[in-house]
Amino acid sequence: MAHLELQKALAAQGYVADDDLAMAVHLALALGRPLLIEGAAGVGKTDLARVLAHVQETELIRLQCYEGLDASQAIYEWNYQRQLLSIRAAAEDGETGRSVEARIFSEEFLLERPLLKAIRQAKSPVLLIDEIDRADEEFEAYLLEILSEFQITVPELDTITATSRPIVVLTANGTRDLSDALRRRCLYAHVDYPDRTTELAILKARCADIETKLAGQIIGFVQSLRKEDLEKTPGIAEMLDFAAALSGLGIADLTQDPVALQACLTTLLKTQSDRANITTEVAQRLAGKAA
Amino acid sequence: MSRVTKFAARDPGPTARMAGFMAHLRDNGLRLGVGETEMGLAALCHVQASDPSQTRPALRAICCGSADDTARFDDLFDAFWLNGGRVAQKTIPSQSPASDHIHSSRNASGQDEAGGSGTPTVPDGGEGEADADGQGRLQASLHQAKMKRDLRDLVQPEDIAEAQKIAERLGTALRHQRSRRRKQARKGDQIHFRKVMRQSLATGGEPLSLPLKQRPDRPLKIVTLCDVSGSMTTYAKVFLAFIAGLMRADQTFDAYLFHTRLVRIAEALRDKDALRALGRLSVLADGFGGGSKIGASLDQFSRTYARRFVDGRTVVMILSDGYDTDTPDMIGDALARLKKRGCKIIWLNPLKGWDGYEPVARGMAAALPHLDLFRPANRLDDLAALEKELIRL
C-alpha cells in the first residue's frame, strides 16, 4: 500500500494525516520499523495507533508507560494465587515435587502483559507504547532489546520468539529526552497542531453534520486561540468537544451569543488562569476575526 | 527548468549519493550512522524514488530524530538534492577533521570559524601532557589567556584533603534517592511472590518464610560546572579545592570549568598526586580569570557532554555568580534543555552570601525558574552545610 492509499484509508476511518505522517507510517509498515511519534498533547498521537489497527484490521495492544514501570506489568507475571493453590492441591494428591514444579511454571500459570501478548499474536497487532518518555531509562533500554530481537526470555520457561512482528508505535510528548539509541532504532514523525485546512478536514470527518460556516468559524477561533499565551494549548480533542458543545446548544454563529460562547470555552480552556485570561472581550475579538 | 541537482558523470550511483546525503546531514549536526543510509535506500524502494514530494517525507522520517531536526530538514534536503540544477562536484564530501567537543579541551571560540583547515585535533581525553600541539595552543592563548595563572598558587593540597571529606559527605547525602523498582531485601514493604513460590515448593505449598521486596537506594551522580571567569577569581580557590575533593570521593562524578569556553577537568583532577592534579588543571584552565560566557558554555554542555553523562539520576551543580556577557535567554534555554534530561540543577552563587543580595544579574534571573536549589556558597563551611538540603532534594 503506497502512502497515498494509506492516507486515504486513514481518512476513511476519520483520521486526517498529513503527507509526512502518512509517509512515516507507510515506511514503518514497509520496513518493519517502530515508529516514534512526538508532539504536543492532544494532536492525535495515540489516536493514530487506534485507527491504524482498524485499517490493518488487527488488534491494538496498549502499554501505558509510567515511572517505575517494571517487567511484571510490562511483560509477564506468574499467577501466584493459582500457583499457591496448585501446590497445596498437589501435596494432598501426593504429586512429586518435580512434576509440581514443571506444572506451575508452565504457560497455564503465566499472565501475559502487553509486550509478551504483542509478540504472541497470530496476526501482527499494533503495539502502542504510550508516553514512553514517562518510563525511566532502564525500561527504555529493555524495550530496545525487545524491539530489535522480538523475543522475550522467561527463565522458568524458555525464550519466547515472536510468532508475528507487531507494528510498534511509540508516542512521546517531550517530558524528557529519549536516548539516541532508541531514536535511531525508530522512524520519526513530529506531529504539530494541524493547519487550518487539515483541522477543518478533521472536524468534517468527525462531525459530518456541522454547518460549513460554523465549522470555518470554529476552526478560525481555535487556531487563533492557540496563538494566545496559554498555559495549556487546546488540542484536537478539545476542538471537537467545543464543536460538539456549540452544536449541542444549537448555536449557528459564534458571534451571536457571547454568554453561550463563554460557557462553551470550558471545553477548550482547562486551567484557572487560562479561563481568566480569555475574557468575554478577548473571546469576542477572536470570534470576530474568525467570522 | 529542473531544480534537481545534477550529479557528475563519474558519480558512482544512488548508493553513493545516499551516503553523500547522510554525510551532508552529519556535517550539519544530525546524528546518523551507516544504518540510516541502508534504511534510506531500502525506503526508496517503497516510494516513487524520482518524486521529491515522496522522497522528502520518506527521508525525513528516517533521518530526523527530534523536532529540531525536522524543522531543519527541508533546507538540508533542498541544499543537497535540489540545488537549482547545478552540478554537484563531489558526491561524498571529503573527510573534514572531526570536531570532537567531547574529548578535545581546546575548541577555542576562535578556532571554530577556522574549522576545516589546519591539523585535526586529536582527542586525548584530557590525559597526558596537554601542551603536545604547541602551535595551536599558542594561537589560542594569544586570543584568550589575558591572565595566566598557576592554580598551584591558589589551592593548597591540604585544602583538597579537607574538601574531600566534605565532598564525600555530600556524596552520601545524595545517595538517598530511592529507586522506583523493588528488589529483594531483608526488610521490605512488599512480599516477593516469585520467591515465595519457589520456597514453598519445598514445604508442600506452605509459605513458611515470606521474602520481601524493597525499593533500594540508588546512587546519584554529581556533575559540577565551575565558573572561573574574572569575577569569580576570589572564590575559585574554594571551589576548585571542593571539586578536586569531589572527584576523589567518587569515580562516577564529573567536573567542568568554564570561562569563555568549556573544559572537562574530571580526568585531570583524579590524578593521585594532588599537586600534579592542580598542575594539569592549570594547563587545561588556560584563559582562567578572563571573560565569562555562561550561556554559551552551558549551551555547549547541554548539547554535547550532557547527552552522554547527564540522566535522571544526575545532579548538576553550577558554581557561578551569574555575571554573563551573553544574552540572558541563552542561560534560560540551556538550562531548560538540560532539565529535560531529567536531572536536578543546583546553583551555588558566591554573591548570594552577601547581605542584601538579590539575583538581579539578568542571567541569574533567567536561570532561577529552572533551578531546584539556589544557595549561597563562598566558603567550605557553606558547602558542608549543603548536606541537609541535598538530602531533601
Side-chain angles (χ1 to χ4, degrees):
Chain A
M1 194 162 21
H3 84 288
L4 290 174
E5 286 169 44
L6 185 71
Q7 199 171 19
K8 271 189 210 125
L10 290 173
Q13 295 288 336
Y15 191 94
V16 183
D18 61 14
D19 283 351
D20 285 345
L21 185 59
M23 179 58 87
V25 175
H26 165 61
L27 285 179
L29 294 174
L31 302 174
R33 289 279 181 151
L35 174 64
L36 170 65
I37 308 180
E38 231 174 11
V43 291
K45 302 186 293 292
T46 307
D47 217 30
L48 173 69
R50 189 183 60 75
V51 174
L52 187 61
H54 265 288
V55 169
Q56 296 284 310
E57 289 167 357
T58 179
E59 203 184 338
L60 173 71
I61 298 173
R62 176 174 173 162
L63 174 66
Q64 171 68 48
C65 295
Y66 56 89
E67 200 185 338
L69 178 69
D70 63 8
S72 66
Q73 279 117 41
I75 309 163
Y76 70 91
E77 190 164 36
W78 291 103
N79 190 340
Y80 300 118
Q81 289 86 342
R82 268 191 83 183
Q83 282 182 327
L84 211 55
L85 285 171
S86 183
I87 299 172
R88 291 298 296 271
E92 273 162 28
D93 296 349
E95 198 179 344
T96 61
R98 196 166 289 273
S99 82
V100 179
E101 187 177 342
R103 199 154 57 78
I104 67 164
F105 290 113
S106 65
E107 292 275 338
E108 205 186 332
F109 293 83
L110 195 67
L111 294 175
E112 281 179 346
R113 300 288 190 231
L115 290 183
L116 181 61
K117 193 175 169 197
I119 68 164
R120 298 219 292 181
Q121 301 291 314
K123 185 178 181 194
S124 296
V126 173
L127 171 62
L128 168 66
I129 300 173
D130 216 0
E131 305 190 22
I132 173 71
D133 46 351
R134 288 205 190 183
D136 41 22
E137 282 118 5
E138 286 83 0
F139 182 73
E140 208 178 284
Y142 190 84
L143 197 60
L144 269 179
E145 197 187 312
I146 293 184
L147 291 185
S148 56
E149 306 290 330
F150 286 104
Q151 60 178 29
I152 288 169
T153 303
V154 182
E156 291 89 345
L157 275 178
D158 207 349
T159 300
I160 299 171
T161 322
T163 47
S164 63
R165 274 192 150 205
I167 303 160
V168 186
V169 178
L170 301 106
T171 72
N173 45 26
T175 49
R176 82 176 163 80
D177 278 349
L178 299 172
S179 72
D180 279 347
L182 185 70
R183 284 184 189 279
R184 291 197 47 196
R185 189 140 348 236
C186 303
L187 297 179
Y188 178 87
H190 184 263
V191 187
D192 224 333
Y193 289 112
D195 57 19
R196 210 188 143 82
T197 18
T198 315
E199 193 160 21
L200 201 58
I202 294 171
L203 180 60
K204 287 261 174 61
R206 290 296 170 91
C207 312
D209 51 348
I210 206 154
E211 277 176 53
T212 316
K213 185 185 162 209
L214 180 62
Q217 283 186 341
I218 290 173
I219 301 304
F221 182 78
V222 173
Q223 294 258 338
S224 46
L225 189 65
R226 286 201 187 113
K227 292 196 189 91
E228 296 289 311
D229 187 19
L230 296 177
E231 275 182 12
K232 165 87 188 68
T233 315
I236 294 170
E238 278 87 356
M239 182 274 291
L240 291 173
D241 284 348
F242 181 57
L246 287 173
S247 55
L249 288 173
I251 294 172
D253 192 325
L254 273 191
T255 46
Q256 138 203 342
D257 188 350
V259 181
L261 175 63
Q262 209 61 19
C264 288
L265 282 182
T266 38
T267 55
L268 289 176
L269 304 172
K270 303 290 175 70
T271 71
Q272 171 66 35
S273 73
D274 284 353
R275 280 308 299 257
N277 277 338
I278 307 298
T279 54
T280 315
E281 290 76 45
V282 179
Q284 283 306 306
R285 178 170 56 80
L286 294 179
K289 254 199 295 186
Chain B
M1 194 194 101
S2 167
R3 292 173 56 232
V4 180
T5 307
K6 293 194 178 80
F7 288 94
R10 60 176 186 282
D11 169 54
T15 314
R17 286 182 201 174
M18 185 60 72
F21 180 54
M22 294 296 167
H24 166 69
L25 294 181
R26 217 175 292 133
D27 282 349
N28 284 285
L30 271 63
R31 297 159 82 86
L32 302 167
V34 185
E36 278 81 5
T37 314
E38 228 170 86
M39 217 199 306
L41 284 168
L44 292 189
C45 304
H46 294 280
V47 298
Q48 277 287 341
S50 54
D51 180 2
S53 75
Q54 291 201 20
T55 48
R56 184 193 296 265
L59 289 177
R60 188 192 336 255
I62 287 162
C63 302
C64 294
S66 66
D68 284 355
D69 293 353
T70 314
R72 292 175 56 210
F73 184 82
D74 271 339
D75 291 340
L76 295 173
F77 184 90
D78 288 345
F80 190 85
W81 299 109
L82 304 171
N83 69 0
R86 282 193 297 279
V87 176
Q89 286 307 321
K90 276 187 211 146
T91 317
I92 302 174
S94 57
Q95 279 290 306
S96 59
S99 77
D100 190 344
H101 292 273
I102 301 291
H103 285 98
S104 172
S105 59
R106 35 192 118 69
N107 45 328
S109 47
Q111 286 183 335
D112 269 357
E113 282 90 325
S117 60
T119 50
T121 32
V122 181
D124 62 4
E127 293 189 21
E129 286 301 309
D131 50 2
D133 54 346
Q135 197 60 37
R137 238 172 58 77
L138 185 64
Q139 197 183 16
S141 60
L142 277 178
H143 287 296
Q144 298 219 341
K146 298 185 181 73
M147 249 200 292
K148 189 157 181 173
R149 219 175 248 267
D150 193 339
L151 293 175
R152 278 171 288 199
D153 300 341
L154 266 178
V155 187
Q156 303 302 317
E158 305 86 74
D159 294 340
I160 295 187
E162 202 193 327
Q164 189 174 347
K165 278 188 213 126
I166 294 170
E168 272 164 11
R169 286 226 312 277
L170 292 184
T172 33
L174 281 172
R175 250 149 234 270
H176 288 281
Q177 171 105 350
R178 285 271 185 87
S179 163
R180 293 263 173 177
R181 205 160 280 130
R182 289 181 163 78
K183 269 178 80 178
Q184 200 210 335
R186 262 199 306 174
K187 285 183 180 172
D189 57 351
Q190 275 189 4
I191 296 174
H192 196 323
F193 273 111
R194 205 169 172 136
K195 203 104 187 168
V196 171
M197 280 311 127
R198 285 243 163 257
Q199 291 189 356
S200 62
L201 274 178
T203 52
E206 210 65 66
L208 288 184
S209 64
L210 288 180
L212 297 170
K213 287 198 287 193
Q214 176 66 287
R215 286 164 51 181
D217 282 350
R218 290 287 190 83
L220 279 181
K221 251 183 341 195
I222 304 181
V223 176
T224 30
L225 290 156
C226 182
D227 186 349
V228 289
S229 58
S231 54
M232 289 283 291
T233 326
T234 351
Y235 312 103
K237 175 180 152 110
V238 178
F239 286 161
L240 286 177
F242 173 66
I243 294 175
L246 210 55
M247 286 305 106
R248 283 143 179 281
D250 195 311
Q251 286 295 313
T252 60
F253 293 173
D254 206 0
Y256 303 83
L257 284 187
F258 63 89
H259 28 83
T260 48
R261 61 204 168 93
L262 185 76
V263 183
R264 181 153 189 247
I265 54 169
E267 292 302 325
L269 282 179
R270 285 216 181 91
D271 203 313
K272 282 199 190 70
D273 183 343
L275 207 59
R276 196 170 59 201
L278 288 171
R280 285 174 64 177
L281 186 59
S282 314
V283 174
L284 288 173
D286 186 19
F288 184 88
S292 55
K293 282 191 177 163
I294 305 178
S297 300
L298 289 180
D299 187 65
Q300 192 196 338
F301 177 73
S302 67
R303 286 177 195 278
T304 55
Y305 297 101
R307 297 182 77 130
R308 278 170 46 188
F309 301 122
V310 175
D311 57 22
R313 272 194 275 280
T314 310
V315 174
V316 178
M317 196 185 276
I318 301 168
L319 308 163
S320 170
D321 54 8
Y323 285 121
D324 194 4
T325 46
D326 290 326
T327 56
D329 296 348
M330 262 182 107
I331 298 188
D333 291 349
L335 287 180
R337 193 173 310 113
L338 206 54
K339 193 85 200 177
K340 267 204 162 183
R341 300 207 61 88
C343 61
K344 296 263 192 300
I345 304 177
I346 305 177
W347 192 303
L348 302 178
N349 191 331
L351 302 183
K352 203 176 175 237
W354 291 1
D355 287 339
Y357 169 79
E358 291 284 324
V360 285
R362 285 183 309 152
M364 209 57 247
L368 272 181
H370 305 286
L371 304 182
D372 292 284
L373 190 67
F374 180 47
R375 282 281 170 274
N378 45 31
R379 287 166 304 147
L380 271 184
D381 298 352
D382 295 335
L383 293 168
L386 276 176
E387 196 180 334
K388 278 191 213 113
E389 311 266 358
L390 292 185
I391 290 175
R392 240 178 291 144
L393 210 67

